[in-house]
Amino acid sequence: MTKDSSGKGGDPKEKYWHESVFIDHELDYEDQKTNLTSLIQSYLTTMADLGAETWIIHGTLMGWWWNRKIMPWDSDIDVHVAEDTMAFLASYYNMTIHTVRTTHAPQGKNYMLEINPQYANPSPTDELNTIDARWIDTLTGVFIDVTAVHPKRTRPGLMYCKDNHIYREADVFPLRDSMFEDRPVRIPYNYVELLQAEYGKKSLTRTMFAGHIFNSTSMEWERKRKKPP
């Protein structure tokens, strides 16, 4: 009997994403950093090629704040798109495979864009489908969660995601141009206020976190060395 690695066993049928097992082991510390770097580089490159506006958010934006890189303890990447951009991607690029060259894979790797068909339902009550799309490394299974941002039509000037994050339009737009993991990226206009609101003011200055220390000379998060026994 073949082992079911789909992840569907314990999930309600209404849920689109099932956390499949793509490999039989977890990525180690260095492999995770390498694969996530390639993941965001490939995503940003492809979205720019497709003309799909996107921006980084949450912990990924925090990584940008510190040194324009993914924080080494992060295991995921978060990005936003506007609802019309999500509709565009769903109409023309759902389930497409893209071969992209990255720093760690100069020969190119394959990535798949998959759209949740429930993206068209913007209601926050659809709690099982808060992630609208994923950008997936077809070799390792690591992925980026892509979430659509919707205008709050009952309150002009506000926007929301299905996971109940609410934003002022003026805090997001116009997007700023910057760099992230050696690729052009867009970030929210009022990034400081957004980060402070989500993580607290100390998060922008605290140089010790998650077993790492920020080296202001090298501008890198370094793992704390374990004391010898």
Side-chain angles (χ1 to χ4, degrees):
M1 182 175 180
T2 302
K3 179 182 177 182
D4 180 8
S5 298
S6 69
K8 296 180 180 179
D11 286 336
K13 63 179 181 179
E14 296 84 2
K15 182 178 180 181
Y16 182 74
W17 301 114
H18 303 283
E19 312 309 328
S20 302
V21 180
F22 290 86
I23 52 177
D24 60 4
H25 64 280
E26 292 184 1
L27 298 176
D28 63 24
Y29 182 82
E30 292 300 329
D31 282 344
Q32 178 171 282
K33 289 197 299 181
T34 297
N35 280 281
L36 288 181
T37 298
S38 291
L39 194 65
I40 189 63
Q41 288 181 342
S42 64
Y43 173 80
L44 293 173
T45 297
T46 303
M47 291 302 107
D49 289 346
L50 299 182
E53 185 177 73
T54 185
W55 59 98
I56 55 175
I57 199 69
H58 304 316
T60 309
L61 183 61
M62 181 63 76
W64 171 88
W65 164 263
W66 280 99
N67 63 354
R68 310 300 192 260
K69 295 181 180 180
I70 298 166
M71 293 183 290
W73 59 86
D74 258 358
S75 60
D76 62 0
I77 298 170
D78 293 291
V79 297
H80 280 172
V81 300
E83 66 174 14
D84 57 343
T85 300
M86 184 61 70
F88 164 73
L89 293 173
S91 296
Y92 298 102
Y93 295 102
N94 187 23
M95 303 302 289
T96 53
I97 302 291
H98 304 260
T99 303
V100 189
R101 295 179 180 180
T102 67
T103 300
H104 299 294
Q107 76 283 4
K109 285 183 70 177
N110 288 336
Y111 299 87
M112 181 173 71
L113 178 65
E114 183 172 3
I115 311 295
N116 183 342
Q118 292 300 316
Y119 86 89
N121 174 13
S123 174
T125 61
D126 185 14
E127 297 178 352
L128 296 175
N129 293 290
T130 58
I131 302 302
D132 297 294
R134 278 181 174 169
W135 178 254
I136 305 167
D137 181 331
T138 61
L139 180 63
T140 66
V142 296
F143 55 82
I144 295 176
D145 284 337
V146 186
T147 306
V149 178
H150 309 273
K152 203 169 181 64
R153 291 174 173 83
T154 57
R155 297 182 64 184
L158 293 183
M159 306 185 302
Y160 72 96
C161 300
K162 289 169 71 172
D163 60 8
N164 286 315
H165 280 89
I166 297 177
Y167 305 94
R168 291 194 312 152
E169 187 174 341
D171 285 338
V172 177
F173 299 112
L175 295 169
R176 298 177 184 265
D177 292 319
S178 187
M179 297 293 292
F180 188 69
E181 292 290 359
D182 296 323
R183 295 294 185 273
V185 72
R186 288 186 170 178
I187 61 170
Y189 181 78
N190 200 353
Y191 54 86
V192 171
E193 184 168 321
L194 291 177
L195 287 172
Q196 288 179 341
E198 188 165 4
Y199 300 107
K201 290 184 178 181
K202 291 183 179 180
S203 66
L204 303 185
T205 57
R206 183 171 54 190
T207 56
M208 297 179 63
F209 193 79
H212 291 72
I213 300 175
F214 189 73
N215 185 325
S216 59
T217 301
S218 65
M219 296 297 290
E220 295 284 349
W221 285 100
E222 300 173 352
R223 294 179 91 173
K224 289 183 183 179
R225 294 182 180 179
K226 294 183 178 180
K227 294 182 181 180

